[in-house]
Amino acid sequence: MRETLSLLFYLMRLRVRTRLEFRASLVIAWAAQAFGYAGVFTSIWLILTRFENIGGWSWPQMALLLGFHTLGYALGACFTLVQLRRMEEIVLGGEFDTLLVRPLNPWAYLVFSGFNIEYGGHILLGAGLILWALPQLAIDWTVATSLLMAGSLISAALITASMITIISACAMVLGRARYLFGIYFDFWELSRYPASIFAGPFQIALLSVIPLGYMAYVPVSVLLGRPVPYLGQAAGLVGLAAGPLSVVAAFFFWRSCLRRYQGGGG
Amino acid sequence: MSAFLALIRAAFQRELEHRSRTIVRIFGTLVDILARISIWQAVFAGHGSMNGITLPQMITYALIGGTILSSWDATMIVREVGGTIRTGAIGATLLRPVAYPVMLLAEQLGSRFFDWLMTSLPVIVIMGLIYGVQPPASLGHGLLFLGFLAVSLGILMLSAILVGLFSFWVFDAHSLEWFMRGILAVLSGGLVPIWFFPKGLAEVAHVLPFSWITYHPMAVYLGERDLMTSLFYLLAGGAWVAVLTLAVSFVWSRACGQVVVQGG
């Protein structure tokens, strides 16, 4: 176990060192991605400057929501997105077969050897929005709320990693999975707004089978003392549990797809 | 011209092959439009109208602006150009009887026509039946809107091709794509129309070519401008298309000088 962990960290370090060989390109990539997100956030800010709120959420509240969403996503995606989005090519090209004969879990190998540090822009933007918004919001800071915030960020990262794992695992059975990422990102974009502004079925979907509502909306609502539909007082705890629960679901789903895998290469 | 049309037809037929992708795209666009309409319903809840714009107008803006005018991800052209240059496939394109930017334009037009027919129209019909969609303000506005549609398409594609061609010098199309995405998110008026912008930013956005992608066509469609003013804006948009065409052809001629073919 210890040897496996040290090997995984070694793979991660190798990947980071490779990317750091081109530092200027990395910094430009960070700036570009942060700029891309800032464009969308500016649109939301423009709505709020004119209309004052979206479904009762003011700009500082929305900024906290957006910051939380971006940061939680980046923490999960740096371990999963770029490497597992390739799963379709990995399966169809026969690369996955070569991973199966290695003395290392194929998921762990893919995730750690592809650790992506290009999310620096996301992290700076997300953390920056949170740090800007927090002093302007009347949040009752206690040990419990501090733990809730830290735990919810980890939970958001776990939800991201789990959902990406589940989608990529489909490639083992279906051969194709890339187009499913399109659906994921459509709902992911939906989840950067307060779920309360959507119709009932979408709220239920975002709080159950597509648990993206727990990425930011639920924890930020709890921190702000805003009511969360369907969950009420349990929102904080359910939000914290959503990440680990989605990891369990992803674990069993990946294993089940792996059992059905019959080779995709030609 | 026949090669250009053949490329458009080939791209259209290629899209036709991916049925599951089409269904996913319709579903994705429905989710996107639902989000846009929900946002406008939420913000208009306490206001009858804002700057003379009503909620039904904004629903129409979200529905038509978010499908026909901006649902399609133009930054994918930047990614494609970057990939062609990075892999060296650009060398083979120089052998073809059609210039690379013209070929790109034709292929993207084929995909776009398919997207209008198979994604935008079904989504407009479905969401229009649920939330309602307004017709053009008048027959004249409707006809002018068709002209604006061509200008919108031209500006979107030409600016994406232009940005993509810069990959010859910066070799990082991924970053160029994200910069373009950020600019389009605000300045095209795709999500938020420019009439809700603060004065200074609105003045800048008004004159830049990106506002012809969604904002100006929709302002005309909704009758926010009289016919003469709309015609003036259409001509100004046409001038931007001409400027961008010249810029693309200039950058392409310079880019050709950058190509070094190795091996053989």
Side-chain angles (χ1 to χ4, degrees):
Chain A
M1 182 68 182
R2 215 171 126 191
E3 278 176 3
T4 308
L5 278 177
S6 84
L7 177 62
L8 292 175
F9 280 116
Y10 177 70
L11 287 171
M12 234 170 103
R13 233 176 28 243
L14 272 184
R15 174 76 182 171
V16 172
R17 278 172 64 185
T18 311
R19 193 64 185 93
L20 284 174
E21 285 296 309
F22 306 97
R23 284 178 205 178
S25 154
L26 180 66
V27 172
I28 292 168
W30 285 1
Q33 294 189 33
F35 185 83
Y37 278 89
V40 179
F41 297 170
T42 303
S43 294
I44 298 169
W45 172 76
L46 286 168
I47 295 174
L48 283 153
T49 54
R50 189 60 58 164
F51 291 89
E52 291 167 6
N53 70 73
I54 294 178
W57 288 63
S58 64
W59 169 241
Q61 292 174 328
M62 274 302 294
L64 182 62
L65 184 80
L66 294 171
F68 219 89
H69 192 262
T70 311
L71 186 57
Y73 164 74
L75 294 175
C78 64
F79 280 98
T80 46
L81 182 69
V82 174
Q83 43 277 63
L84 293 179
R85 197 172 48 186
R86 280 182 58 237
M87 196 63 186
E88 183 177 308
E89 290 96 272
I90 291 170
V91 167
L92 294 177
E95 192 186 332
F96 195 67
D97 294 338
T98 68
L99 296 183
L100 289 174
V101 292
R102 290 185 194 188
L104 192 60
N105 180 295
W107 180 86
Y109 175 80
L110 282 171
V111 161
F112 286 91
S113 66
F115 178 67
N116 188 1
I117 54 169
E118 276 197 19
Y119 287 92
H122 290 71
I123 290 169
L124 287 174
L125 184 67
L129 276 170
I130 292 172
L131 290 175
W132 176 84
L134 283 179
Q136 306 186 52
L137 298 165
I139 295 173
D140 181 19
W141 286 110
T142 60
V143 176
T145 47
S146 306
L147 285 175
L148 177 80
M149 179 151 169
S152 301
L153 271 173
I154 295 168
S155 179
L158 294 177
I159 290 169
T160 302
S162 306
M163 292 201 72
I164 291 171
T165 298
I166 288 173
I167 295 168
S168 67
C170 293
M172 285 188 254
V173 181
L174 304 173
R176 304 261 171 213
R178 197 142 187 147
Y179 65 94
L180 295 173
F181 280 101
I183 298 180
Y184 166 74
F185 279 109
D186 288 326
F187 278 98
W188 177 79
E189 280 180 17
L190 213 67
S191 67
R192 62 161 69 118
Y193 299 99
S196 52
I197 68 169
F198 301 122
F202 273 88
Q203 289 183 25
I204 294 169
L206 288 171
L207 297 175
S208 56
V209 285
I210 308 168
L212 292 170
Y214 299 103
M215 289 272 303
Y217 169 67
V218 171
V220 171
S221 296
V222 175
L223 281 174
L224 296 173
R226 299 184 67 94
V228 178
Y230 307 105
L231 298 177
Q233 294 298 314
L237 279 177
V238 180
L240 285 174
L245 283 175
S246 58
V247 167
V248 173
F251 173 78
F252 283 109
F253 190 78
W254 177 275
R255 219 168 62 162
S256 149
C257 289
L258 192 59
R259 227 178 279 133
R260 287 182 176 80
Y261 176 71
Q262 294 183 326
Chain B
M1 191 62 190
S2 62
F4 188 71
L5 292 175
L7 284 167
I8 292 178
R9 201 169 51 239
F12 189 95
Q13 282 170 341
R14 202 165 43 239
E15 291 289 332
L16 212 57
E17 295 298 315
H18 303 287
R19 284 178 207 156
S20 54
R21 203 163 71 184
T22 307
I23 294 165
V24 167
R25 215 184 282 177
I26 292 173
F27 183 71
T29 312
L30 280 171
V31 172
D32 177 46
I33 296 302
L34 177 98
R36 289 169 190 244
I37 291 176
S38 301
I39 291 166
W40 293 118
Q41 283 179 325
V43 297
F44 268 92
H47 306 82
S49 70
M50 179 62 80
N51 290 28
I53 306 297
T54 62
L55 177 60
Q57 282 182 308
M58 275 319 300
I59 288 177
T60 304
Y61 191 104
L63 197 42
I64 295 176
T67 53
I68 294 178
L69 296 166
S70 60
S71 73
W72 176 70
D73 191 358
T75 57
M76 293 306 284
I77 302 181
V78 180
R79 190 177 294 186
E80 192 181 324
V81 178
T84 312
I85 293 166
R86 201 178 54 252
T87 59
I90 191 75
T93 64
L94 295 174
L95 301 171
R96 295 185 183 170
V98 183
Y100 179 58
V102 178
M103 196 183 89
L104 264 179
L105 188 66
E107 287 181 344
Q108 296 299 328
L109 276 174
S111 305
R112 191 62 171 142
F113 291 151
F114 178 86
D115 200 40
W116 278 348
L117 198 67
M118 304 303 284
T119 310
S120 300
L121 279 179
V123 170
I124 289 173
V125 170
I126 295 167
M127 297 304 261
L129 286 171
I130 299 170
Y131 294 100
V133 58
Q134 294 191 338
S138 71
L139 181 64
H141 284 95
L143 291 172
L144 278 174
F145 175 75
L146 294 177
F148 272 93
L149 199 59
V151 167
S152 163
L153 194 61
I155 289 178
L156 188 61
M157 288 191 176
L158 289 165
S159 51
I161 292 171
L162 185 63
V163 172
L165 289 179
F166 286 121
S167 305
F168 275 94
W169 290 273
V170 296
F171 290 108
D172 193 357
H174 190 239
S175 295
L176 289 174
E177 181 192 326
W178 277 98
F179 278 122
M180 189 176 169
R181 202 172 280 187
I183 288 169
L184 289 184
V186 181
L187 297 175
S188 71
L191 178 64
V192 185
I194 294 172
W195 53 62
F196 294 144
F197 282 24
K199 196 166 174 274
L201 185 61
E203 282 170 0
V204 173
H206 247 276
V207 293
L208 289 173
F210 311 110
S211 54
W212 269 267
I213 293 171
T214 309
Y215 170 69
H216 289 307
M218 284 314 298
V220 169
Y221 181 95
L222 293 170
E224 288 301 303
R225 291 192 186 123
D226 61 54
L227 289 175
M228 276 314 288
T229 315
S230 301
L231 191 62
F232 167 75
Y233 272 102
L234 182 61
L235 292 173
W240 268 120
V241 172
V243 168
L244 285 168
T245 307
L246 286 174
V248 166
S249 87
F250 173 73
V251 173
W252 172 243
S253 68
R254 298 296 297 264
C256 284
Q258 293 286 116
V259 178
V260 177
V261 179
Q262 293 177 332

